[in-house]
Amino acid sequence: MPNFQKLIERNKRIISDNLVSLITDDYILIDLPYYSNIGDHLIWLGTECFLKTLPYRCLYRASRLSFEYRELPRNVIILFQGGGNFGDIYEAHGEFRRRVMKMYPNNKIIILPQTVYYNRYIPIRGESQQYRNHKNTYILARDRYSYDFLKRYGFSDKVLMVPDMAFWIERSMLKTINIRQTEKILLFKRGDGEQTDLREIYKSIEKEQYEEKDWPLWRGYDPYLSTLNEYVENNKMDEANKFAKDIYMPSRIKTGVEFISSYKMVYSNRLHGAILSILLDKPVTIIDNSYGKNANFYDAWLKGWRDINIVRIRHKESIMRKIKLFITWVLTIKDRILYR
């Protein structure tokens, strides 16, 4: 069995080195995942584990759906949950971030480590200007592509490159949930818009004893999620926020750890299927997603580590799209010069 402790400690240290100097006062933590994706709950738990090491208080937690405006002193910092929703694939999260930035023009805002990707070039120019309008926004990128993109299109002059917050999960917490390992291999296959062609993977493991699955309860009835949704729908936001932190998030973490723990090896095209495998010392082969997120993350933080492999996917980007992105970049630079 591999031991990834040194890799985990290195990534935790990079997170600390960047964030300790930024989070210098009490804070609120928002855009939390009140939905079933276990990967986002791993990010949330890692964030909470890190924040516990700081001498400041969390004054408020909420998702984008349970968030309610409240007056904040200027010293209070606004933390947005990290993840892979910066761009136009999951537009609701971007709209929420920009709305909050307008509500709180004088508070420091920190967007925790994100992957950035835009399918369309049209929104970039206007959205980058909206981010620049807030003069004290820090954006943390999870990989080099995202970092370069944010810098190139001028989303902020405060962009940092930082690993995913899930690396800060206390492994002792995971070990208490761990269950007996079988001899089976997991082919962790996401079934949404980020999925990729796995035919080559099937060929390489066809003689192995493997199971093909996505996160448990990714689709289907989840009683805890149903309860959480009822709180939000009935405008019981304080109850929703408490239930999400104390009941729903721990339940999703437990489910995810039990799921991964039972396999001896993992092939995953979900990034956090791979990260949780690393936290549990499982050999893992990371399969790239539909737009390069997984390979970019691997290149930034996991490359060269034994028992962590990558399967890259050829991404078909048209020449026209590249030309349009270049034109958008030129126009963005022009705007910044004219309206400086």
Side-chain angles (χ1 to χ4, degrees):
M1 176 182 285
N3 186 333
F4 295 124
Q5 184 64 35
K6 289 184 178 178
L7 167 63
I8 294 165
E9 290 300 325
R10 185 203 67 176
N11 286 340
K12 287 175 65 176
R13 187 170 61 253
I14 295 170
I15 292 169
S16 296
D17 289 347
N18 283 278
L19 279 179
V20 166
S21 61
L22 294 184
I23 303 175
T24 55
D25 218 314
D26 293 344
Y27 55 87
I28 65 172
L29 178 60
I30 57 177
D31 202 17
L32 295 173
Y34 293 11
Y35 46 83
S36 62
N37 189 331
I38 291 173
D40 289 320
H41 289 273
L42 292 167
I43 295 172
W44 183 5
L45 178 58
T47 302
E48 296 282 1
C49 289
F50 169 74
L51 292 172
K52 282 196 306 185
T53 68
L54 304 180
Y56 308 110
R57 294 178 301 149
C58 183
L59 305 178
Y60 177 58
R61 293 177 179 85
S63 73
R64 65 180 180 84
L65 298 177
S66 69
F67 177 81
E68 297 176 299
Y69 176 82
R70 54 194 61 198
E71 294 286 343
L72 291 180
R74 292 183 62 152
N75 63 296
V76 173
I77 299 168
I78 299 170
L79 302 179
F80 282 96
Q81 157 104 352
N85 57 41
F86 198 115
D88 58 5
I89 297 179
Y90 306 100
E91 292 182 344
H93 294 276
E95 291 171 359
F96 174 62
R97 281 191 293 267
R98 295 190 297 275
R99 179 161 58 90
V100 171
M101 292 168 76
K102 289 182 180 179
M103 290 179 180
Y104 300 101
N106 299 313
N107 293 79
K108 180 193 289 186
I109 291 176
I110 302 172
I111 300 172
L112 294 170
Q114 279 277 356
T115 295
V116 179
Y117 184 75
Y118 283 82
N119 258 326
R120 297 172 288 116
Y121 72 98
I122 294 172
I124 299 171
R125 190 178 170 196
E127 290 183 11
S128 65
Q129 180 62 58
Q130 291 178 62
Y131 279 90
R132 285 197 302 277
N133 288 342
H134 193 283
K135 302 303 181 184
N136 197 15
T137 295
Y138 291 80
I139 309 178
L140 279 55
R142 285 196 304 196
D143 57 73
R144 175 59 62 178
Y145 173 87
S146 299
Y147 175 86
D148 290 343
F149 189 100
L150 292 166
K151 299 282 281 187
R152 181 182 304 118
Y153 292 101
F155 280 78
S156 172
D157 59 357
K158 303 176 183 70
V159 180
L160 304 171
M161 194 166 124
V162 180
D164 189 273
M165 295 301 296
F167 281 105
W168 249 99
I169 295 174
E170 297 170 9
R171 293 221 290 176
S172 60
M173 299 169 63
L174 303 181
K175 300 293 186 184
T176 63
I177 307 171
N178 220 327
I179 66 173
R180 187 174 65 85
Q181 176 180 290
T182 69
E183 291 301 305
K184 292 182 180 179
I185 291 173
L186 172 63
L187 175 54
F188 201 142
K189 179 183 176 182
R190 69 185 307 151
D192 58 13
E194 294 185 38
Q195 64 184 310
T196 46
D197 188 343
L198 299 180
R199 280 176 292 185
E200 292 302 316
I201 303 299
Y202 290 133
K203 289 178 184 177
S204 67
I205 63 173
E206 61 185 355
K207 296 180 180 179
E208 301 282 353
Q209 186 182 11
Y210 75 91
E211 294 180 342
E212 181 178 320
K213 295 182 179 181
D214 201 347
W215 286 124
L217 296 181
W218 172 240
R219 308 288 187 196
Y221 178 69
D222 178 348
Y224 284 148
L225 181 57
S226 179
T227 300
L228 181 55
N229 287 337
E230 284 181 16
Y231 281 134
V232 173
E233 289 166 4
N234 291 309
N235 206 34
K236 297 180 178 179
M237 300 310 184
D238 289 340
E239 291 93 333
N241 296 330
K242 180 174 173 52
F243 183 85
K245 180 179 182 294
D246 295 342
I247 305 296
Y248 188 55
M249 184 259 282
S251 77
R252 298 309 286 147
I253 297 295
K254 182 175 185 294
T255 298
V257 174
E258 289 176 344
F259 174 56
I260 295 289
S261 293
S262 64
Y263 297 96
K264 70 173 183 179
M265 182 184 301
V266 177
Y267 289 76
S268 180
N269 66 358
R270 278 199 181 274
L271 178 59
H272 284 87
I275 290 176
L276 182 54
S277 299
I278 291 167
L279 292 171
L280 295 172
D281 291 321
K282 303 282 184 181
V284 61
T285 296
I286 302 169
I287 306 163
D288 204 3
N289 77 322
S290 61
Y291 59 86
K293 175 177 73 177
N294 298 348
N296 290 335
F297 188 87
Y298 170 86
D299 289 338
W301 311 114
L302 306 175
K303 192 173 184 177
W305 287 87
R306 186 178 176 183
D307 294 311
I308 304 176
N309 301 302
I310 184 71
V311 175
R312 300 179 188 274
I313 307 295
R314 289 178 178 269
H315 300 286
K316 298 178 180 178
E317 287 191 64
S318 69
I319 294 175
M320 184 58 68
R321 180 176 183 275
K322 292 180 179 179
I323 291 172
K324 288 178 178 179
L325 283 170
F326 176 74
I327 293 171
T328 302
W329 173 66
V330 171
L331 292 173
T332 301
I333 295 299
K334 179 183 176 183
D335 288 345
R336 291 164 67 187
I337 293 172
L338 289 176
Y339 303 109
R340 181 177 296 170

